[in-house]
């Protein structure tokens, strides 16, 4: 091993030697780093995934399925909560054989090609999605059949048109919506709403005779049409509501696949992709009295500028319907009720914010959740409603007649994270929350029960860990799965009535993982920019850690306001750069989710902030505690919004960050998808967009920057990276650019290993000052050696 110069510093009476004194890193070290995650993931046994209650799918009561890890892969378990029994969900070996025979591919019992499925026909069959097609397998004969590709409109369909959710114009009497009483069919013809008797024949009825086809509207047109998908009957079949859609601007992103896998010549394609500031489609609710053939447009003064209107939902007694209005700019959100007899609208609930209302549904997903939750009690006489109006996400009981607050159900300096179950008869709510337990990680989620009137708050999950609870639809049982980053998961079944544990389902075995050298990251906290708020993060120490050495630090950053991103649950995850002599850290700075409204609001009009003032203080606190933590050599990497932040670190904080790798960054929020960017940056567009733009601020670059992009990115417009590269060139800045022609967002898939190795190279070269292996002297991989199918002419 060749000699290398070493840097040293006297700290606390002993010599700290730079990690550059390790000696030359070899190709085998990089391979170990690239392979370490896959290696560790195979060593965790009996780790359960979240259960899926099955009673709706198979007609069984109180049964659920979950997937767990085993030697060589995963298997599925079926649990009967009432009988307290557990068994394999099906014969895995027979199903694998049936799939192999039907597909022509080799399928193994522990590597079945799906992560979830649905039972069909009282558990005698199951269905799942594989490679974009729906598969059906008979569990008695153990035969399988491919039922064909999914199509737009099917629940599991994932297509490139996902960003265009405008209801489509669908004309034709053969595409109908039946009335609840079974007597009428509603449809759209020539862009207008029609109804006809269900037992009649389309096209041969006499117009307007009360027995045949009736045209309910005449104001629809190609550019302002009634959308079939929005037609909604009242439960008594007397009324029909529809949205008339005035089209907005149809922005397209244009792609060139320069290196398609199946031919030599490039291919082009487009995708609908609305961006901030674009003119949106305008939906207008219209109510119809069917028998009277009366059209009642709903006056829109309460919803004049919709970013979105939710689908109409009728009260069960047909007195009216409600929809939710999300105003463009996301500072007003209303529940609007429309009277069925008059078409008059009123605001039942109004939320207003000087910053933003996080309008996505409140769900138990730390990485992506909104704040909207609504449960109608007794057909709308009362409403359980979630709001941040007091500065924290809490539940309120709303009077359904007046819209006034009956009482605040939950309150305190903590956050409701999800509502699991509402028992209207007992007037009780089961929910999940975080931050209630002093001295505990404020992100840890626990289960609770509370009465509608705010009394009787009862904790359900005493173990200090991060919990997730899944309730049966009848509320009789729940499954609690809990873990910490340093505690292997446990899954148990409980009875809701008395919170009694009925059976432990799984306790994860990590003995082989620990024996292989894995160790959990260290939890570390420091005060944020206000000197009061704790910023929580984790530190991954280098492999073969020696406290007498000094190590460069790399921050793995993602600061998207839709979630919080420091891991709280156990996983075998490891930061591969630790295998090459780096400290790697993560933290959630201000502007991220799952804390107070004030904590979250830091992101408003200010995505360039990315919590950096808190992050830098956190780094400095870690360095003050640990002499081996070298903040003179700090790098940062991230993808997507993390890519924007990684480059932003060098633009806005070059005194601290020295090296960055930015993958698939949304470098200018005006170039990225409308829903994510207007949510945090606001509307109409203003100077805040330029202030946070890496493109407009590219001239500020200091330090070492590598940009990575996939030319076929369907999440972030690939032009975003090319525009920032253009500005860097015009500013005479030096940087590195890696373009992966066929790759989508994050350059994942066949290109992951190559892009990760380039990331490793960049930090090793620029923070460790190491010479890199001669990669071109290494054997070519199979992927690299594969050519195109079409021969040269």
């Amino acid at each position: 091993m060749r000699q290398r110069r070493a840097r040293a510093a006297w700290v606390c009476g002993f010599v700290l030697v730079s990690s550059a004194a390790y000696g030359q890193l070899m190709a085998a070290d990089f391979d170990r780093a690239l392979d370490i995650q896959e290696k560790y993931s195979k060593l965790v046994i009996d780790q359960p995934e979240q259960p899926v209650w099955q009673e709706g799918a198979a007609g069984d009561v109180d049964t659920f399925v979950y997937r767990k890890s085993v030697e060589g892969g995963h298997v599925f378990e079926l649990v009967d909560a009432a009988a307290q029994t557990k068994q394999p969900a099906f014969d895995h070996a027979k199903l694998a054989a049936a799939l192999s025979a039907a597909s022509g591919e080799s399928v193994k019992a522990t590597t079945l090609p799906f992560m979830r499925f649905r039972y069909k026909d009282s558990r005698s069959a199951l269905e799942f999605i594989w490679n974009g097609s729906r598969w059906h397998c008979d569990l008695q004969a153990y035969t399988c059949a491919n039922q064909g590709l999914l199509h737009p409109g099917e629940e599991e369909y994932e297509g490139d048109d996902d960003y265009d959710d405008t209801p489509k114009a669908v004309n034709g009497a053969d595409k109908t919506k039946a009335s609840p009483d079974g007597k009428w069919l509603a449809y759209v013809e020539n862009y207008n709403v029609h109804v006809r008797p269900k037992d009649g024949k389309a096209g041969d009825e006499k117009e307007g005779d009360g027995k045949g086809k009736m045209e309910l509207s005449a104001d629809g047109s190609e550019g302002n049409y009634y959308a079939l998908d929005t037609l909604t009957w009242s439960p008594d079949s007397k009324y029909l509501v529809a949205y008339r859609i005035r089209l907005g601007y149809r922005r397209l992103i244009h792609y060139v696949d320069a290196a398609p896998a199946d031919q030599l010549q490039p291919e082009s394609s487009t995708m609908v992709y609305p961006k901030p500031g674009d003119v949106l489609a305008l939906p207008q609710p219209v109510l119809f009295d069917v028998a009277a053939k009366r059209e009642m447009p709903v006056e829109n003064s309460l919803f004049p500028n919709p970013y979105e209107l939710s689908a109409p939902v009728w009260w069960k007694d047909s007195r009216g319907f409600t929809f939710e209005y999300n105003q463009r700019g996301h500072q007003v959100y209303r529940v609007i009720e429309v009277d069925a007899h008059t078409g008059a609208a009123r605001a039942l609930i109004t939320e207003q914010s000087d910053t933003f209302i996080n309008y996505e549904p409140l769900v138990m997903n730390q990485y992506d959740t909104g704040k909207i939750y609504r449960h109608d009690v007794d057909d709308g006489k009362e409403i359980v409603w979630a709001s941040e109006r007091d500065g924290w996400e809490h539940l309120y009981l709303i009077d359904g007649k007046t819209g006034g607050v009956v009482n605040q159900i939950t309150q305190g300096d903590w956050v409701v994270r999800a509502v699991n179950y509402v028992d209207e008869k007992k007037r009780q709510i089961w929910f999940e929350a975080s931050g209630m337990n002093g001295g505990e990680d404020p992100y840890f989620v626990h289960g609770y029960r509370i009465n509608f009137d705010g009394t009787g708050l009862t904790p359900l999950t005493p173990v200090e860990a991060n919990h997730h609870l899944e309730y049966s639809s009848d509320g009789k049982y729940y499954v609690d799965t809990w873990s910490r980053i340093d505690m292997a998961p446990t899954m148990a079944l409980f009875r809701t009535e008395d919170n009694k544990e009925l059976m432990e389902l799984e306790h994860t075995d990590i003995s082989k993982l620990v024996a292989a050298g894995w160790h959990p990251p260290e939890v570390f906290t420091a005060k944020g920019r206000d000197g009061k708020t704790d910023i929580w993060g984790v530190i991954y120490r280098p492999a073969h850690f020696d406290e007498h050495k000094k190590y460069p630090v790399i921050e793995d950053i993602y600061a998207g306001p839709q979630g919080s991103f420091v891991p709280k649950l156990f996983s075998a995850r490891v930061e591969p750069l630790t295998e090459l002599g780096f400290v790697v850290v993560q933290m959630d700075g201000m502007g991220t989710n799952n804390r107070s409204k004030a904590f979250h609001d830091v992101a408003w009009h200010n995505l360039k902030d990315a919590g950096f003032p808190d992050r830098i203080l956190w780094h400095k606190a870690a360095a003050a505690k640990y002499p081996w933590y070298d903040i003179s050599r700090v790098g940062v990497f991230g993808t997507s919004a993390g890519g924007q932040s990684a480059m932003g670190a060098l633009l806005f904080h070059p005194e601290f960050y020295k090296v960055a790798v930015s993958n698939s960054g949304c470098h200018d929020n005006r170039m990225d998808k409308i829903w994510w960017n207007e949510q945090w940056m606001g509307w109409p567009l203003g100077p805040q967009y330029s202030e946070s733009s890496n493109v407009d601020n590219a001239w500020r670059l200091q330090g070492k920057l590598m940009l990575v992009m996939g030319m076929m990115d369907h999440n972030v417009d690939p032009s975003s990276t090319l525009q920032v590269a253009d500005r860097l060139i015009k500013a005479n800045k030096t940087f590195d650019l890696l373009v992966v022609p066929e790759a989508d967002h994050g350059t994942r898939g066949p290109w992951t290993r190559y892009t990760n190795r380039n990331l490793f190279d960049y930090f090793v070269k620029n923070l460790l000052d190491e010479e890199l292996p001669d990669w071109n002297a290494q054997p070519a991989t199979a992927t690299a050696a594969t050519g195109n199918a079409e021969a040269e002419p």
Side-chain angles (χ1 to χ4, degrees), residues 315-316 373-384 397 421-430 450-453 473-475:
W315 297 123
K316 295 176 183 178
Y373 174 81
R374 170 185 164 191
H375 179 87
D376 297 331
V377 179
D378 193 12
D379 201 24
K381 291 180 180 178
E382 295 174 308
I383 299 172
V384 177
L397 188 64
Y421 183 72
V422 177
D423 189 322
E424 295 185 17
K425 291 183 179 179
K426 293 182 177 180
R427 296 182 68 79
Q428 292 181 324
I429 302 169
W430 284 259
I450 196 168
N451 298 323
F452 277 20
D453 64 5
S473 62
D474 59 12

Side-chain angles (χ1 to χ4, degrees), residues 280 305-309 326-328 330 359 674-675 678:
L280 295 177
N305 185 23
Y307 174 81
E308 182 180 39
L309 299 184
N326 177 12
Q327 184 164 291
R328 193 157 189 190
H330 310 300
Y359 64 86
I674 189 173
W675 69 267
E678 283 193 7

Side-chain angles (χ1 to χ4, degrees), residues 256-268 788 790-793:
V256 174
D257 186 350
D262 57 352
Q263 66 182 50
L264 176 64
Q265 297 301 327
E267 291 181 315
S268 63
N788 289 316
E790 181 178 330
E792 286 283 347

Side-chain angles (χ1 to χ4, degrees), residues 110 129 155 172 193-194 223 254 259 294 333 341 351 416 437 444 499 514 602 639 734 754 779:
T110 56
I129 306 304
E155 182 179 348
V193 178
H194 293 69
H254 298 265
R294 181 162 60 105
Y333 194 97
H341 303 289
E351 294 287 341
V416 172
N437 300 337
F444 278 178
N499 202 38
V514 173
V602 170
T639 298
T734 298
Y754 182 79

Side-chain angles (χ1 to χ4, degrees), residues 47 124 154 176 214 237 263 287 340 347 364 395 407 430 465 493 552 587 616 674 677 740:
Q47 180 170 6
S124 65
E154 294 189 78
T176 62
M214 293 190 294
S237 302
Q263 66 182 50
L287 177 63
M364 191 51 254
L395 301 178
N407 60 265
W430 284 259
L493 174 67
M587 73 285 292
I616 292 170
I674 189 173
N677 294 273
V740 186

Side-chain angles (χ1 to χ4, degrees), residues 604-649:
W604 187 63
H605 281 195
N606 193 22
L607 285 178
K608 79 174 190 298
D609 180 278
F612 279 122
D614 312 302
R615 296 170 184 277
I616 292 170
L617 289 171
W618 191 95
H619 281 290
K620 290 179 177 179
K625 180 176 181 180
Y626 298 123
W628 43 264
Y629 195 105
D630 186 358
I631 56 171
S632 70
R633 294 180 292 161
V634 179
V636 58
F637 71 92
T639 298
S640 196
Q644 178 181 8
S645 298
M647 181 176 176

Side-chain angles (χ1 to χ4, degrees), residues 207-208 213-216 288-295:
E207 183 70 21
K213 181 175 73 170
M214 293 190 294
E215 183 180 62
L216 296 183
F288 299 97
D289 182 330
V290 177
K293 289 185 60 181
R294 181 162 60 105
E295 177 180 336

Side-chain angles (χ1 to χ4, degrees), residues 98-323:
L99 280 170
S100 296
S103 68
E105 299 185 27
S106 176
V107 178
K108 297 181 179 179
T110 56
T111 56
L112 295 172
F114 54 89
M115 298 176 64
R116 58 189 63 87
F117 67 89
R118 290 180 179 176
Y119 280 126
K120 307 292 287 187
D121 303 325
S122 300
R123 296 209 305 267
S124 65
L126 59 79
E127 290 185 352
F128 57 90
I129 306 304
W130 182 16
N131 291 335
S133 294
R134 187 184 305 279
W135 284 75
H136 181 94
C137 294
D138 185 317
L139 295 181
Q140 296 178 329
Y142 276 95
T143 56
C144 294
N146 184 342
Q147 296 189 319
L149 291 172
L150 296 175
H151 300 288
E154 294 189 78
E155 182 179 348
E156 303 93 341
Y157 176 78
E158 295 181 2
D160 291 342
D161 248 1
D162 288 352
Y163 294 103
D164 183 16
D165 56 4
T166 303
K168 302 295 190 292
V170 178
N171 288 295
D174 58 331
K175 301 176 180 66
T176 62
K177 296 285 189 75
S179 61
D181 64 7
K183 296 180 179 179
W184 294 93
L185 296 175
Y187 57 98
V188 176
E189 188 172 80
N190 196 27
Y191 308 106
N192 281 288
V193 178
H194 293 69
V195 296
R196 60 180 172 86
K198 189 175 182 180
D199 57 359
K201 296 180 181 179
D204 64 355
E205 300 88 348
K206 295 180 181 179
E207 183 70 21
D209 63 1
K211 299 179 181 179
K213 181 175 73 170
M214 293 190 294
E215 183 180 62
L216 296 183
S217 73
D219 54 352
S221 64
E222 186 175 2
N224 196 18
Y225 55 84
Y226 286 90
L228 175 69
D229 287 347
T230 68
L231 297 183
T232 308
W233 285 94
S234 62
D236 63 8
S237 302
K238 294 180 179 180
Y239 300 95
L240 184 66
V241 62
Y243 286 177
R244 190 175 64 241
I245 308 295
R246 189 185 73 192
L247 289 174
Y249 177 61
R250 191 169 185 268
R251 181 181 295 280
L252 298 177
I253 293 182
H254 298 265
Y255 294 90
V256 174
D257 186 350
D262 57 352
Q263 66 182 50
L264 176 64
Q265 297 301 327
E267 291 181 315
S268 63
S269 60
T270 61
M271 182 177 72
V272 180
Y273 190 96
K275 294 184 178 183
D278 284 354
V279 175
L280 295 177
L282 181 64
Q284 170 62 53
V286 180
L287 177 63
F288 299 97
D289 182 330
V290 177
K293 289 185 60 181
R294 181 162 60 105
E295 177 180 336
M296 294 177 279
V298 181
E299 205 276 321
N300 71 349
S301 60
L302 290 172
F303 51 98
N305 185 23
Y307 174 81
E308 182 180 39
L309 299 184
S310 69
V313 177
W314 283 92
W315 297 123
K316 295 176 183 178
D317 65 4
S318 298
R319 69 185 184 273
F321 64 91
T322 65
F323 61 89

